[in-house]
Amino acid sequence: MAGMAQIRIARRVLTECIAAMAFPILLLSILVAPVSAPVVAETDRSRARWCGVETMPLKPSDHSWAQWVAPRLRSRSMWRTDLPVFVTAVLLSALSLLVAFFGFIGAAALVFSPVFWLFGIAAQVGPFTPESVGETLLAMPAGIVLGAVTTTVLTGTSFLRDLLLRAFSRSRDPDLLAKLEELRTSRASLTAAFEFERQRIERDLHDGAQQELVAVVMRLGMLEATATAAAAAAAADQERIVRLARQAQAHAERALERLRDTVRNIHPRELSDLGLIAAVRELAARSPLRVELTSTGDDAQLSSPTANAVYFTVSEALTNISKHAGVGSARIDLRCATTDVHVRVHDDGVGGARIYAGSGLAGLRERMRSVGGNLEILSPPGGGTLVVASAPSEPPW
């Protein structure tokens, strides 16, 4: 515990020294304060997290600074939160510059005063100028004390930054509240989506494989009864036995196929063994649609959660096309990069698709958001449907 406290103090002193060196840049950024304020404020939130303070980043991980700053400038929270934090950063960085410069340089001059004396230099620190070797030796502990005081003042300055950051952030930042509300909504949507998925699996097993297996059991019972009653079976009875056996075999084969489909829908083996591109290619080959697939890049860098989210997005999109679009073909464009993945599924069907609460697409959108991605649907009536999904290669968590 003591070691962690020392590490955090060292981080605070280090960040204050960095802030002191960055003071000239902060001073120049005043000329473009409306643009620089959100950047400085978000950087200060990152500094606080690094020093052990719980703060929530406002910039989404999949947004560039330009994408985030532009709408931020039009929000009231930029004036309520970011601008005060920016002004505080400039003032406290000026203080840190003065304290660090004079404190650490003065402490070094006092500690190394005997060395300077050997070279004929009397190191002056403020009003103190050593006039003998004894005074230089006495200056060494004073230098250590001055260094400790400087470290303490810089640490206090860092705590003052945290205090003011929390004070300005408590002013009911609408962007922060909106993000919290989005997290609550996303959690509720994921819960509903998981419940929907469990019900779907139960329904598939009950209506699919279970019904086929019941039919197999019944056919085998009839087959046993017929075989028992036909000890001296006539040709007609033998044909009936063969027919029942074939029916039981057909039901068993259908049950096995439905079980395979259900297991594949839970997690396809191709995705784990061969990767996203190969799994999507297999998905397209099994689809009743004529699928034109274009894939570029390497999927080796994709994490398992991201690959799963993209795969099931494509699967759900193809299922919706075959059920609702009224066409027999679809196009998939899959692009994998080292940092992210993008997929587009398009059809020329009737359009009019939308995401509503409890739907499969709503669950997929929340699944994409859970890995730091997003899902959008463009589906004007009569103009076909375009499903666009993107996500970082590694989730932000």
Side-chain angles (χ1 to χ4, degrees):
M1 189 67 68
M4 181 60 67
Q6 292 175 354
I7 291 175
R8 289 180 177 176
I9 290 177
R11 287 181 176 182
R12 289 185 178 279
V13 174
L14 177 60
T15 53
E16 288 304 316
C17 291
I18 294 174
M21 291 185 290
F23 174 72
I25 300 175
L26 291 174
L27 202 59
L28 290 175
S29 67
I30 295 177
L31 301 176
V32 288
V35 176
S36 58
V39 177
V40 173
E42 187 69 8
T43 303
D44 196 47
R45 283 186 279 269
S46 299
R47 173 207 61 81
R49 286 195 302 278
W50 194 60
C51 292
V53 179
E54 292 186 2
T55 58
M56 178 178 291
L58 297 184
K59 186 181 81 69
S61 58
D62 58 340
H63 282 48
S64 66
W65 283 104
Q67 290 174 322
W68 178 69
V69 169
R72 184 77 176 171
L73 293 176
R74 297 190 294 269
S75 67
R76 290 178 298 173
S77 53
M78 197 279 290
W79 303 98
R80 294 179 178 179
T81 303
D82 293 348
L83 195 59
V85 172
F86 172 72
V87 173
T88 299
V90 174
L91 296 177
L92 292 183
S93 294
L95 175 62
S96 296
L97 177 61
L98 294 174
V99 173
F101 183 79
F102 292 105
F104 286 137
I105 290 181
L110 291 173
V111 170
F112 293 101
S113 183
V115 179
F116 295 143
W117 184 266
L118 291 176
F119 289 92
I121 302 173
Q124 181 180 1
V125 178
F128 172 74
T129 303
E131 297 181 355
S132 65
V133 176
E135 290 184 357
T136 60
L137 294 176
L138 292 175
M140 293 179 65
I144 296 174
V145 172
L146 179 58
V149 171
T150 302
T151 300
T152 302
V153 173
L154 290 177
T155 303
T157 304
S158 178
F159 278 111
L160 180 59
R161 286 181 190 270
D162 296 341
L163 180 64
L164 294 174
L165 177 64
R166 286 195 294 264
F168 294 134
S169 298
R170 284 196 190 106
S171 59
R172 297 189 65 80
D173 185 334
D175 286 353
L176 184 58
L177 294 176
K179 188 160 189 175
L180 288 174
E181 183 61 29
E182 180 183 346
L183 288 175
R184 295 191 192 99
T185 304
S186 178
R187 183 173 61 181
S189 299
L190 279 176
T191 302
F194 290 149
E195 182 62 28
F196 175 81
E197 187 66 14
R198 284 193 293 268
Q199 292 176 1
R200 183 193 66 79
I201 294 172
E202 188 276 334
R203 185 173 59 251
D204 288 348
L205 290 174
H206 181 273
D207 297 340
Q210 180 174 318
Q211 296 294 333
E212 296 293 345
L213 290 173
V214 168
V216 170
V217 172
M218 293 177 61
R219 289 292 188 278
L220 290 176
M222 295 170 63
L223 180 61
E224 180 185 10
T226 302
T228 302
D237 293 329
Q238 293 177 354
E239 291 177 2
R240 186 166 184 267
I241 292 174
V242 171
R243 184 173 67 256
L244 289 173
R246 289 174 178 173
Q247 290 175 349
Q249 182 182 11
H251 282 295
E253 290 175 350
R254 284 198 295 269
L256 180 61
E257 185 63 27
R258 293 196 178 189
L259 279 175
R260 287 173 177 169
D261 290 340
T262 300
V263 171
R264 186 183 290 113
N265 288 333
I266 296 174
H267 186 82
R269 186 172 182 178
E270 297 87 358
L271 190 58
S272 302
D273 296 345
L274 303 177
L276 177 62
I277 295 177
V280 171
R281 186 176 295 114
E282 175 67 19
L283 183 64
R286 288 189 288 103
S287 174
L289 302 169
R290 297 186 307 276
V291 180
E292 178 185 344
L293 172 62
T294 303
S295 60
T296 57
D298 183 9
D299 58 7
Q301 302 297 324
L302 296 182
S303 64
S304 178
T306 298
N308 287 340
V310 174
Y311 174 88
F312 285 108
T313 296
V314 175
S315 176
E316 182 72 15
L318 291 179
T319 300
N320 288 341
I321 293 172
S322 62
K323 288 182 178 180
H324 309 298
V327 294
S329 62
R331 296 187 298 277
I332 302 175
D333 179 20
L334 177 61
R335 294 186 291 111
C336 300
T338 56
T339 58
D340 54 14
V341 58
H342 297 264
V343 65
R344 298 161 61 92
V345 183
H346 185 251
D347 68 78
D348 298 321
V350 297
R354 61 186 181 89
I355 299 177
Y356 56 90
S359 67
L361 288 175
L364 289 175
R365 182 176 61 182
E366 297 307 324
R367 190 168 193 167
M368 293 299 301
R369 289 179 176 177
S370 70
V371 296
N374 194 25
L375 183 143
E376 297 179 355
I377 291 183
L378 302 176
S379 185
T385 299
L386 173 63
V387 177
V388 182
S390 61
S393 299
E394 289 288 339
W397 32 267

